[in-house]
Amino acid sequence: MASIVKRGRSYRAQVSLYKYGEHKKLTKTFATKKEAKLWTLEVELAKGEGKELAQRSTTFSDFFENWIYLVKINDVKETTFQNYVRTLGVIRNLFQDIQLKDLNDIVVQKKIDEYAKTHSRKTTHEVLLKIKTSLRDAYARGYIANDFARLVKTRGENPTKRNKALSITDFKKLRNHVLQHPEDEFNVLVLLALETGMRRGELLALRPENLYEYGIEVRHSISPTSDDTSLKTQNAKRDVSINKEVFELIRKIPVKENGHIFSFGGFKQSELLAQLLTELDINKTTFHGLRDTHASFLFAQDIDIGYVSKRLGHINIQTTQNYYLELMPEKKHQQDADALNLLSAL
């Protein structure tokens, strides 16, 4: 049942809802009676289609929170769930008290564009993907009137890549240094990252029982934000061969009380790596950059991409091609020279 009441120069429209034994009312004020009539008609039609109109006055932030704790918590890994929790903070800051009924592609696009001003395109895209997934769920449940999520786009620029692969020259320089100073446990960790291309979490998760002659069983990964030690993907479960010299250096490291070979060290490995690279006058990169360096070095030596993909624990070769097929500078220069020579010989 709908009603429209004139209040001063405006009109208040009201629609009664009844569901599950509860009476609720939706109200909205308009400047003209025509607008009020149109709104009540739309609401009555939606009500007749069984839409969950009462839920539409819920703020998007509250809906997203309920959604991740009731739905996503059972669908994703603990580390992924923690990403959703962090995204909740972003959404509360961006959308504040905006209700589901007031959302559309323009509203969401403006909020995403606002977020993109201070964040990378990749980070913005990851936030938007979570927003889109929740909006599709809201539409399926009748909480929003339109499935507009697909219309919202990621914008913004990507910052300079932080995890760049080292040049062959810097790769050799760093490798020689850590090999010559194995008394520092961190140097062995860096060496192993260069030698295997393992992720930082996989390295920190190593236990003595993961070592064999001469190789490493990659079975777990440590995260600073979660107690979940499962690997990123099923393909990440793999065996990685290493040479005898590196194997013996790892075996000499005293096992910690928690059963792991390497100390977590408050997860300050990134800072320690930055200090080490500065001391050696090597261009800065990250631990993931050491993984890139390992892959790039193998490519530079013409190692089969299928082997490299399995060694890195990628889900398929396409992933390896998309993210790691960056030639080291020296190799690229050689390839350029080879290509020009071939063209000149035509």
Side-chain angles (χ1 to χ4, degrees):
M1 187 72 179
S3 64
I4 300 175
V5 179
K6 191 175 189 311
R7 305 191 65 173
R9 295 183 178 181
S10 60
Y11 294 83
R12 188 181 74 172
Q14 182 173 279
V15 177
S16 298
L17 305 175
Y18 180 81
K19 193 165 186 179
Y20 304 130
E22 293 185 6
H23 287 279
K24 293 185 178 180
K25 295 179 180 179
L26 291 180
T27 61
K28 193 170 184 178
T29 301
F30 298 89
T32 66
K33 189 173 184 179
K34 182 178 180 180
E35 291 175 320
K37 282 185 175 180
L38 180 60
W39 179 78
T40 57
L41 177 60
E42 291 176 344
V43 173
E44 289 289 357
L45 287 173
K47 186 172 70 172
E49 294 172 356
K51 300 294 185 181
E52 295 284 358
L53 301 181
Q55 296 287 347
R56 294 185 180 181
S57 59
T58 301
T59 65
F60 177 50
S61 299
D62 286 343
F63 165 76
F64 189 85
E65 181 174 14
N66 290 332
W67 177 69
I68 65 174
Y69 280 101
L70 294 175
V71 178
K72 299 309 293 182
I73 193 171
N74 297 315
D75 291 345
V76 297
K77 288 174 51 178
E78 173 63 20
T79 49
T80 303
F81 177 72
Q82 290 304 320
N83 286 333
Y84 276 94
V85 173
R86 286 190 286 274
T87 301
L88 171 61
V90 173
I91 288 174
R92 287 205 177 280
N93 184 54
L94 282 178
F95 291 87
Q96 299 183 15
D97 295 328
I98 296 177
Q99 299 177 352
L100 287 174
K101 63 183 176 63
D102 296 321
L103 287 181
N104 55 46
D105 59 298
I106 295 176
V107 171
V108 178
Q109 186 69 68
K110 285 183 176 179
K111 294 299 180 183
I112 285 298
D113 289 348
E114 178 184 333
Y115 184 74
K117 290 179 182 178
T118 55
H119 295 82
S120 71
R121 186 182 181 90
K122 179 181 178 182
T123 300
T124 302
H125 185 63
E126 290 173 351
V127 169
L128 180 56
L129 284 179
K130 293 177 176 62
I131 290 176
K132 284 185 172 184
T133 305
S134 69
L135 289 175
R136 293 190 185 102
D137 192 286
Y139 173 71
R141 296 171 189 273
Y143 298 168
I144 57 178
N146 299 300
D147 185 14
F148 59 80
R150 60 186 175 81
L151 300 176
V152 186
K153 308 297 182 183
T154 303
R155 293 169 182 159
E157 300 295 330
N158 274 325
T160 303
K161 187 177 179 182
R162 294 173 57 244
N163 52 320
K164 287 185 176 181
L166 299 176
S167 67
I168 293 179
T169 302
D170 284 344
F171 170 53
K172 290 181 178 179
K173 186 176 183 180
L174 178 59
R175 184 177 184 276
N176 288 336
H177 174 82
V178 293
L179 265 175
Q180 292 167 12
H181 299 87
E183 67 280 358
D184 186 335
E185 178 184 306
F186 179 72
N187 285 343
V188 181
L189 185 70
V190 171
L191 174 63
L192 203 54
L194 289 171
E195 293 282 314
T196 66
M198 290 169 60
R199 301 174 177 91
R200 183 185 68 164
E202 295 170 345
L203 293 169
L204 294 179
L206 289 179
R207 294 172 175 270
E209 55 266 31
N210 297 132
L211 299 179
Y212 65 90
E213 194 173 329
Y214 297 103
I216 297 173
E217 296 176 341
V218 183
R219 298 295 183 267
H220 297 92
S221 181
I222 298 294
S223 168
T225 59
S226 170
D227 293 331
D228 182 7
T229 62
S230 58
L231 294 170
K232 188 175 181 180
T233 65
Q234 182 60 35
N235 292 71
K237 181 181 178 181
R238 63 200 188 279
D239 291 354
V240 182
S241 59
I242 55 178
N243 63 51
K244 182 179 179 180
E245 182 180 18
V246 175
F247 176 77
E248 295 298 339
L249 289 176
I250 300 171
R251 290 184 61 185
K252 292 178 181 178
I253 297 176
V255 179
K256 310 303 178 288
E257 290 185 4
N258 60 12
H260 291 94
I261 295 175
F262 294 105
S263 172
F264 296 171
F267 296 98
K268 300 293 185 180
Q269 291 80 21
S270 296
E271 291 89 333
L272 293 173
L273 177 61
Q275 293 173 13
L276 177 60
L277 296 178
T278 299
E279 291 171 7
L280 297 177
D281 193 25
I282 293 175
N283 290 331
K284 287 187 177 181
T285 189
T286 63
F287 254 86
H288 202 85
L290 300 183
R291 177 172 164 85
D292 284 8
T293 300
H294 177 78
S296 296
F297 179 73
L298 295 184
F299 287 136
Q301 306 307 313
D302 297 322
I303 301 296
D304 181 73
I305 190 172
Y307 170 81
V308 177
S309 183
K310 290 181 179 180
R311 187 172 176 86
L312 294 174
H314 284 161
I315 192 169
N316 53 44
I317 291 178
Q318 188 62 50
T319 301
T320 312
Q321 291 176 324
N322 289 343
Y323 294 99
Y324 294 91
L325 203 51
E326 291 188 13
L327 293 174
M328 289 179 163
E330 294 92 338
K331 183 67 174 182
K332 182 179 185 302
H333 295 156
Q334 182 60 51
Q335 294 285 342
D336 287 341
D338 291 344
L340 292 175
N341 288 335
L342 287 172
L343 290 170
S344 299
L346 289 175

